[in-house]
Amino acid sequence: MSSPELERINAFLSTFARRQAHRTVDVPGGFAVFDDDFALSYANNQLVVDGTLRTVVPGALPALADEVLGGLPYRVVSVLDDEVARACAQPLAGAGYAHSRYLSPRSATTTPSSAPDPAGRSRRGGVPELAAPGRVTAGRGAGRPGGAGPAAWRGPGRRRPGPRR
C-alpha cells in the first residue's frame, strides 16, 4: 500500500541516508552507504533498497548484499517499499536474515501552525509551539508523571539492564 505521506517519508529516508554517508555505491534498485568513521554503525553502513519491483530482483538481493557489504562484519538491508519488502522477505530469510519493521510515526491531524510549507522550507517556531499540548517526548518518565517511560532506541540484541526479580 502506498500513500503520498509514505512516499514522502521513504524519499526522506533515502535522501537522508545518501547525504549522511561518506561514500555511496549505486546498485540495481538502491544503493549502499558507508561511513568509515562509524564502521560498526548499522545505520551508517547498509544497503538501502528504494527501488520498485521493476528495478529490484528479490532473489539476487542476498548475494548483492554480500558483494557490496563484503568488507563489513555484518549485513543490514533496508527495503523501503512495502511491496518490494514482501517480495524480498523469503530470499532474505532463506539467507539467514532476521526481519524487523521500521515504524515511522506521523500525526493524523495538522493545525495551521504545524502544516508543512508547500515548498518544503523550514519555518521559525517558538517555545510555545514546541510545548504544545499533546506533544510526545521520549525518555525516562516521558508521558507518565513520576514514572519511567518505555526504553527507546534499542539496538539489535542490546537490552538495557532492568530491575532484577
Side-chain angles (χ1 to χ4, degrees), residues 138-154:
R140 185 170 283 293
R144 298 182 189 162
W153 309 111
R154 288 188 185 161

Side-chain angles (χ1 to χ4, degrees), residues 3-165:
S3 72
E5 291 98 357
L6 188 56
E7 289 173 10
R8 194 176 80 228
I9 290 167
N10 287 344
F12 169 80
L13 292 172
S14 179
T15 302
F16 183 75
R18 280 190 186 273
R19 287 184 178 175
Q20 186 179 25
H22 282 189
R23 176 171 54 95
T24 62
V25 175
D26 289 326
V27 299
F31 57 95
V33 294
F34 299 96
D35 188 337
D36 296 334
D37 291 339
F38 299 99
L40 298 179
S41 168
Y42 293 176
N44 295 80
N45 301 278
Q46 64 172 311
L47 178 60
V48 178
V49 179
D50 61 356
T52 66
L53 286 175
R54 291 186 198 115
T55 59
V56 177
V57 180
L61 200 52
L64 180 62
D66 282 342
E67 179 184 330
V68 75
L69 302 173
L72 299 173
Y74 55 84
R75 305 284 183 273
V76 176
V77 178
S78 295
V79 182
L80 301 183
D81 182 80
D82 191 51
E83 181 183 15
V84 176
R86 281 185 269 126
C88 294
Q90 179 61 35
L92 288 170
Y97 283 80
H99 177 260
S100 63
R101 287 190 176 266
Y102 183 84
L103 300 178
S104 181
R106 70 173 182 87
S107 174
T109 61
T110 58
T111 61
S113 66
S114 67
D117 182 294
R121 295 180 303 245
S122 299
R123 60 181 172 71
R124 287 196 172 271
V127 173
E129 285 183 326
L130 295 175
R135 184 167 173 84
V136 178
T137 57
R140 185 170 283 293
R144 298 182 189 162
W153 309 111
R154 288 188 185 161
R158 296 185 185 123
R159 295 194 65 192
R160 291 185 179 173
R164 294 188 182 216
R165 297 177 190 230

